Amino acid sequence: GNCLACHAMDDGDLAGNIGPPLVSMKLRFPDRAKLREQIADPTIRNGNSIMPPFGRHNMLSDEQIDLITDYVHSL
């Protein structure tokens, strides 16, 4: 997944503006598990989400989703 294709973040260049900015993530997702769920399959919380369900479609492995979750949660 290329988060910058759709999301802005502090350390990203040429960020997208389709999704919400990835800032203050610990405040927005104090429960890391909810953030991981959002990354793995955003359609669980929003059936109309345009974000790809990276986990459900096996686009990313569980390990990759965990690493991305850790990174995004640190933003």
Side-chain angles (χ1 to χ4, degrees), residues 36-73:
R36 189 191 188 289
E37 179 182 84
Q38 180 69 17
I39 293 167
D41 188 355
T43 64
I44 291 172
R45 297 178 80 192
N46 176 1
N48 294 319
S49 178
I50 62 171
M51 183 172 161
F54 293 108
R56 182 167 46 102
H57 286 174
N58 297 316
M59 297 163 73
L60 297 171
S61 70
D62 284 339
E63 181 180 357
Q64 289 170 317
I65 292 170
D66 286 338
L67 291 169
I68 291 167
T69 301
D70 289 342
Y71 172 71
V72 172
H73 201 238

Side-chain angles (χ1 to χ4, degrees), residues 5-42:
C6 298
H7 300 276
M9 60 179 94
D10 287 341
D11 61 351
D13 294 328
L14 301 173
N17 60 4
I18 296 169
L22 301 179
V23 296
S24 303
M25 296 306 290
K26 284 183 185 175
L27 290 173
R28 293 173 50 204
F29 288 90
D31 181 355
R32 182 192 172 283
K34 296 249 186 233
L35 176 60
R36 189 191 188 289
E37 179 182 84
Q38 180 69 17
I39 293 167
D41 188 355

